[in-house]
Amino acid sequence: MTIFHSCRGHGTYLQDNKLKASVAGFVEKVGKLICVKPVKSRYNGEVGDVVVGIITEVGQRRWKVDTYSRLDSLLMLSAVNLPGGELRRRSEKDELMMRQHLTEGDLISAEVQSVHGDGSLALHTRSLKYGKLIQGTLVTVAPALIKRCKTHFHNLECGASIILGNNGYIWISPLLKEDAENQTTKSDTSTLEREIVARLRNCIMALAERQMLLYDTSITYTYEASLNYQVSQHKK
Amino acid sequence: MSSSTLSEGRKQFIVDGVTQDCRADGRRCIDFRRFQIETGIVSNTNGSARLRQYGTDVLVGIKAEIGQPKQERSNTGHLEFYVDCSSYNTTEIDGHIGDFTTQLTKSLERIYDSENVLDLKSLTIIAGEQVWVLYIDAVVLECCGNLLDCISIAVKAALYNTRIPGVSVNDEEGVLELEISDDPNDEKKLSIDKVPVIVSCNKIGHRYVVDATQEEECCSSGRLLIAVNDRNNICSLQKSGTGSLDPSTIFEMIETARQAAVPLNQELLQTLKREERSNNDKCGFFAN
Amino acid sequence: MRKDYQLPKFYDRLVCRTGAVSQAVGSAYIELRNTKIICAVYGPREVAKKQEFNIQATVACELKFATFSCRRRRRHIQDSQEKEYSQIIVQALQPVVRLDKYPKSQIDIFITVLQNDGSVLGGAITAASVALADSGIEIFDVAIGCCLRQIGDLSLIDPTYLEEEGRLNNEEEDEIVTNANVTIALLPSLNQVSALIMNGELDVDSTQRIIKDCLEGCIRIYPVVRECLTKSLEEKMSRN
């Protein structure tokens, strides 16, 4: 492809005055900007994205979060809400209490605050809708399959709530009660709610395998179609 | 992608799900995941099989070579196992990958390399000197929990598929010469009547699950590996995992595993027979 | 190979001593008839390799047959059977030790089999537990290991090497002879099984029976071990 006087976007490079693609994927033209978006790649974060991440390391004043990107994302201590909702400078005591708040293996929902020079993301959970995720199931799909929407938190009519992280991590949980802050590890999910979660999980995995875009409507339609079958008879 | 450590909340969710007999994917505690099995896919082997399940892909190849018998068992052939996990994502395994593969290899050897399982005497060519040695190699392309069970099913299928060429012994001037026949009609099949299938029973909370996924394995407090053959006899037991088990729990797990193994063995045998009869052309590795 | 059949034997030749290795934190020496096993415990100490943060202690075990211990000379490098035994012993002892009391630490157990005359795994587990008890590391209970070999109708507890490896030769080839061996590690006070390995072909009822017999064997060994530990404690206290 020989294009002159155009801007190079992601997934392209210039050689001998010719613009060439460096990945196999879709070409997107926005005015003069030409990008090639690969079908399968690690998550490339952008500011404002909602992600679901797994804590991998507790470090000095920060947590390292796995968001299926090239580098682990960072969640600074200053970027989380203190328990109790206080507003103050973080002290040494807070550093020691970090492990109490979030430890290795915990799941969080967060928003991308900024992107560093090397491509790693800085996350924050400075809002009541973000935070630790406790009761539910995690499903991983390719990030390209998540459709960008206005909101990524959905309370589906079938009786479950899902968070479609832009990074391909999807969190399915039973409908959150009003006092979601008091959610402890104690369980109070009934078998019916569990079946709904399991059914949704199988639906999402089936859609992912067929490379279909995931958003609330597509998942709801698939769910309704699956009601004809027993959950335990699903293929996966 | 997911780490081997799960948060307390996720673990609790899985444990409660098992207690209510509704696991993360909707299965009951004694349900196996669906899998596909194909035999005879690698032409350079005497027998091969491939097991595919969502997230799991195991390939087993058996090569028969003439070799020396083992010291303690000079009249029988023997089996040698090797499990290759190198393509499998190594960060998922707790501990050193060498230990993990050694454990799998030794468990398989202990269970399958015995007179109780295969008619090893029939693999003798010249008693005390030359026997057939079956090299069984398993390659794990990917795994989503319950690896040993999958390998055992693939091994059983590969053994069913194995054909050992006929050998004639010629005595020329005191020197024994072996001649391997090229005639495909002269090949020997192995009887898999007593070959067991391994069912791993994981204790999660107060109940037991069969065919655990990777997340469920992280929550299990004790695992009992039970090898059950077609006659519903127990061929082997091995407890693994970091927790301890009550004796009564062990007996219950044995019973659960045996109940789960009965339909598994039957279906596997039917599938293998059907595959053999249909004799369809293998259309390549990734054809569905 | 005809053997003289022995009556179901209950251990009667278990000799157990602590303090065999003076440099170790805890050690034990066990003689089970002709099988001799020595065990040393080191730790808890800092984890040797730079590993991930672990809120619990790690238990590592290395079992080695001395090269002269078996009928055929063994190699001086740990082979796969020894590695397997080591892993089984680790799994047998993990429920025993109070791991949450020693975060970020490692407990090393070294077991050497000086003479192999059968029942090695059971003896090794018992030796390791006695060494742990001797070392002062906090434990919930002592794990007692016991082996059982079933040949036909006979149950032999703590079989010798010949009994383990031998098979019944029967005149009529059609006769189905059951051959099985089982090794169990039991925590007597808690009545929990921390290791179980069984090989052979048995129906469910026979399996249950030999497991119960083996548990019986463990329970009979327990008083000997307890006596050994109390004696050694008395000696230590009288020296002070």
Side-chain angles (χ1 to χ4, degrees):
Chain A
M1 191 157 85
T2 312
I3 309 277
F4 296 105
H5 310 303
S6 55
C7 294
R8 286 183 294 113
H10 293 299
T12 61
Y13 67 98
L14 208 58
Q15 195 189 54
D16 301 330
N17 254 344
K18 292 192 185 152
L19 195 66
K20 297 199 173 158
S22 57
V23 288
F26 306 105
V27 176
E28 276 186 10
K29 251 202 249 185
V30 184
K32 278 200 185 154
L33 181 71
I34 298 182
C35 304
V36 185
K37 278 223 157 73
V39 178
K40 237 201 227 178
S41 76
R42 288 246 156 189
Y43 170 57
N44 287 318
E46 281 159 42
V47 179
D49 279 353
V50 173
V51 293
V52 171
I54 306 172
I55 308 283
T56 55
E57 208 184 291
V58 183
Q60 283 262 33
R61 315 197 104 227
R62 67 178 75 170
W63 289 276
K64 276 220 166 132
V65 186
D66 163 35
T67 50
Y68 196 53
S69 24
R70 287 189 324 263
L71 299 167
D72 277 347
S73 310
L74 293 167
L75 178 64
M76 304 296 295
L77 179 58
S78 48
V80 300
N81 280 335
L82 285 171
E86 303 166 35
L87 295 168
R88 56 175 167 79
R89 279 188 97 91
R90 307 295 192 263
S91 65
E92 274 184 24
K93 205 161 147 215
D94 292 314
E95 278 190 60
L96 298 167
M97 301 288 276
M98 275 178 79
R99 202 169 277 283
Q100 240 91 331
H101 183 51
L102 287 172
T103 179
E104 283 97 347
D106 278 345
L107 277 158
I108 53 159
S109 63
E111 193 179 311
V112 177
Q113 189 172 35
S114 60
V115 183
H116 293 153
D118 56 4
S120 62
L121 307 171
L123 308 173
H124 78 89
T125 56
R126 282 187 142 285
S127 169
L128 284 175
K129 59 180 179 174
Y130 303 124
K132 193 150 85 164
L133 303 169
I134 302 172
Q135 290 280 312
T137 319
L138 182 74
V139 185
T140 43
V141 301
L145 295 174
I146 309 280
K147 187 170 171 175
R148 280 183 188 276
C149 299
K150 260 211 299 220
T151 169
H152 289 258
F153 292 80
H154 303 282
N155 278 342
L156 299 177
E157 291 145 0
C158 42
S161 56
I162 57 170
I163 304 178
L164 294 164
N166 282 92
N167 60 336
Y169 287 2
I170 300 176
W171 177 253
I172 314 169
S173 60
L175 268 180
L176 295 166
K177 317 271 191 306
E178 280 307 310
D179 52 349
E181 281 177 23
N182 297 340
Q183 233 185 21
T184 52
T185 52
K186 237 174 74 174
S187 67
D188 35 3
T189 29
S190 66
T191 316
L192 201 61
E193 287 173 313
R194 255 174 227 288
E195 273 192 25
I196 299 172
V197 168
R199 198 181 281 279
L200 272 173
R201 179 188 173 278
N202 292 341
C203 291
I204 292 179
M205 284 167 71
L207 283 171
E209 198 156 323
R210 294 279 173 261
Q211 304 282 324
M212 300 192 64
L213 266 185
L214 291 164
Y215 52 101
D216 55 348
T217 327
S218 72
I219 296 175
T220 318
Y221 283 166
T222 322
Y223 180 84
E224 277 160 25
S226 82
L227 283 172
N228 297 329
Y229 307 96
Q230 281 260 348
V231 190
S232 51
Q233 287 173 355
H234 284 185
K235 258 212 150 170
K236 268 127 214 156
Chain B
M1 278 185 252
S2 58
S3 62
S4 56
T5 49
L6 287 185
S7 65
E8 283 306 313
R10 276 171 86 185
K11 276 192 191 157
Q12 190 62 42
F13 189 73
I14 293 177
V15 170
D16 294 329
V18 168
T19 316
Q20 295 175 4
D21 206 15
C22 179
R23 291 152 81 172
D25 48 2
R27 278 185 293 158
R28 292 171 306 153
C29 293
I30 57 167
D31 283 340
F32 267 90
R33 283 173 284 183
R34 292 253 190 106
F35 58 83
Q36 272 178 313
I37 193 128
E38 287 172 275
T39 55
I41 36 177
V42 183
S43 53
N44 276 334
T45 57
N46 293 84
S48 59
R50 181 181 182 196
L51 183 138
R52 268 188 296 174
Q53 202 182 39
Y54 183 80
T56 304
D57 199 342
V58 174
L59 182 57
V60 171
I62 301 183
K63 284 187 92 77
E65 291 185 10
I66 300 182
Q68 302 246 316
K70 277 193 175 161
Q71 244 98 42
E72 310 90 37
R73 297 184 295 173
S74 52
N75 293 337
T76 64
H78 60 271
L79 277 61
E80 293 226 3
F81 278 86
Y82 183 66
V83 178
D84 183 5
C85 288
S86 50
S87 358
Y88 176 40
N89 188 355
T90 53
T91 56
E92 304 279 349
I93 300 174
D94 250 346
H96 193 230
I97 190 168
D99 293 337
F100 182 64
T101 47
T102 311
Q103 209 172 20
L104 290 175
T105 310
K106 284 306 288 187
S107 300
L108 288 168
E109 232 172 66
R110 209 165 17 84
I111 297 172
Y112 287 95
D113 188 16
S114 126
E115 268 294 331
N116 290 332
V117 167
L118 282 175
D119 189 10
L120 296 174
K121 280 216 170 69
S122 66
L123 297 175
T124 324
I125 305 170
I126 304 171
E129 287 181 28
Q130 302 283 307
V131 296
W132 281 112
V133 181
L134 293 180
Y135 290 95
I136 306 185
D137 300 299
V139 177
V140 178
L141 299 165
E142 51 171 351
C143 174
C144 189
N146 210 28
L147 184 56
L148 200 52
D149 294 16
C150 295
I151 296 180
S152 78
I153 299 173
V155 164
K156 184 169 180 178
L159 283 168
Y160 183 82
N161 181 240
T162 304
R163 302 283 178 269
I164 303 193
V167 180
S168 49
V169 184
N170 299 331
D171 193 346
E172 290 186 19
E173 298 155 4
V175 175
L176 295 165
E177 270 194 17
L178 301 170
E179 209 180 286
I180 302 179
S181 85
D182 284 327
D183 186 4
N185 293 331
D186 202 13
E187 286 176 339
K188 223 175 11 177
K189 261 181 76 161
L190 292 171
S191 153
I192 58 160
D193 286 345
K194 299 197 275 181
V195 175
V197 149
I198 300 177
V199 175
S200 297
C201 209
N202 278 280
K203 177 161 188 241
I204 297 182
H206 295 294
R207 295 189 65 157
Y208 331 108
V209 298
V210 149
D211 194 13
T213 60
Q214 241 165 4
E215 288 117 28
E216 287 167 346
E217 280 181 349
C218 292
C219 307
S220 97
S221 50
R223 185 178 322 153
L224 191 63
L225 177 166
I226 301 147
V228 185
N229 65 10
D230 286 331
R231 301 181 192 177
N232 289 334
N233 286 339
I234 313 287
C235 293
S236 179
L237 293 173
Q238 185 178 344
K239 179 238 161 223
S240 65
T242 56
S244 57
L245 298 169
D246 211 69
S248 53
T249 311
I250 292 179
F251 298 138
E252 282 168 33
M253 279 172 140
I254 294 175
E255 193 47 49
T256 312
R258 211 174 56 83
Q259 279 173 5
V262 168
L264 179 66
N265 267 324
Q266 282 170 348
E267 251 195 68
L268 179 64
L269 207 55
Q270 278 172 2
T271 315
L272 291 173
K273 287 193 171 133
R274 194 173 48 223
E275 242 217 336
E276 200 187 19
R277 264 192 311 237
S278 69
N279 213 11
N280 48 0
D281 305 298
K282 305 296 171 188
C283 36
F285 220 55
F286 282 106
N288 259 335
Chain C
M1 183 169 54
R2 282 192 71 89
K3 293 193 303 293
D4 293 328
Y5 299 137
Q6 289 143 307
L7 292 167
K9 237 186 272 192
F10 299 109
Y11 78 98
D12 49 354
R13 296 274 185 273
L14 177 72
V15 174
C16 176
R17 291 279 176 275
T18 58
V21 179
S22 54
Q23 294 236 4
V25 175
S27 56
Y29 170 72
I30 289 232
E31 259 187 41
L32 194 59
R33 268 195 292 274
N34 285 330
T35 302
K36 300 179 170 57
I37 301 173
I38 193 165
C39 172
V41 169
Y42 293 88
R45 50 188 180 185
E46 188 85 27
V47 177
K49 298 172 268 190
K50 190 88 179 70
Q51 280 168 357
E52 275 181 19
F53 172 83
N54 199 353
I55 200 104
Q56 288 187 335
T58 22
V59 177
C61 170
E62 207 183 284
L63 179 134
K64 185 84 191 66
F65 283 89
T67 47
F68 45 76
S69 57
C70 302
R71 306 187 104 208
R72 295 195 73 82
R73 183 178 180 276
R74 282 192 100 102
R75 297 182 61 210
H76 57 275
I77 306 171
Q78 208 184 28
D79 62 26
S80 56
Q81 188 197 21
E82 291 161 345
K83 284 206 185 119
E84 196 203 2
Y85 278 9
S86 307
Q87 279 165 4
I88 295 169
I89 297 174
V90 165
Q91 286 172 355
L93 295 175
Q94 265 170 338
V96 166
V97 178
R98 291 199 65 181
L99 298 170
D100 46 322
K101 272 277 177 176
Y102 306 104
K104 301 196 272 191
S105 317
Q106 178 160 309
I107 298 172
D108 291 307
I109 305 174
F110 297 98
I111 305 179
T112 310
V113 180
L114 301 168
Q115 188 168 309
N116 176 12
D117 193 26
S119 319
V120 165
L121 194 50
I125 294 174
T126 315
S129 317
V130 174
L132 273 176
D134 182 45
S135 68
I137 295 175
E138 294 199 39
I139 49 177
F140 288 111
D141 198 354
V142 180
I144 309 285
C146 180
C147 301
L148 185 145
R149 173 107 168 107
Q150 173 96 16
I151 304 181
D153 289 329
L154 252 75
S155 300
L156 304 168
I157 292 204
D158 291 331
T160 63
Y161 184 78
L162 277 175
E163 288 162 359
E164 261 181 7
E165 298 296 322
R167 300 180 63 86
L168 249 192
N169 263 357
N170 41 333
E171 268 84 55
E172 305 144 51
E173 282 298 319
D174 310 337
E175 207 184 299
I176 301 170
V177 175
T178 50
N179 269 292
N181 47 42
V182 66
T183 304
I184 285 193
L186 174 72
L187 308 179
S189 328
L190 305 171
N191 196 27
Q192 295 273 308
V193 170
S194 64
L196 164 62
I197 307 228
M198 176 231 146
N199 249 2
E201 193 194 346
L202 292 173
D203 57 31
V204 181
D205 296 324
S206 309
T207 316
Q208 284 194 1
R209 194 171 40 81
I210 67 168
I211 293 178
K212 284 192 182 139
D213 286 343
C214 205
L215 289 172
E216 260 286 311
C218 292
I219 293 174
R220 282 164 195 266
I221 296 178
Y222 183 47
V224 178
V225 166
R226 209 173 38 198
E227 204 193 300
C228 156
L229 286 171
T230 38
K231 251 203 221 160
S232 81
L233 195 63
E234 278 167 2
E235 277 171 33
K236 278 193 219 159
M237 284 172 58
S238 67
R239 263 186 253 145
N240 291 348

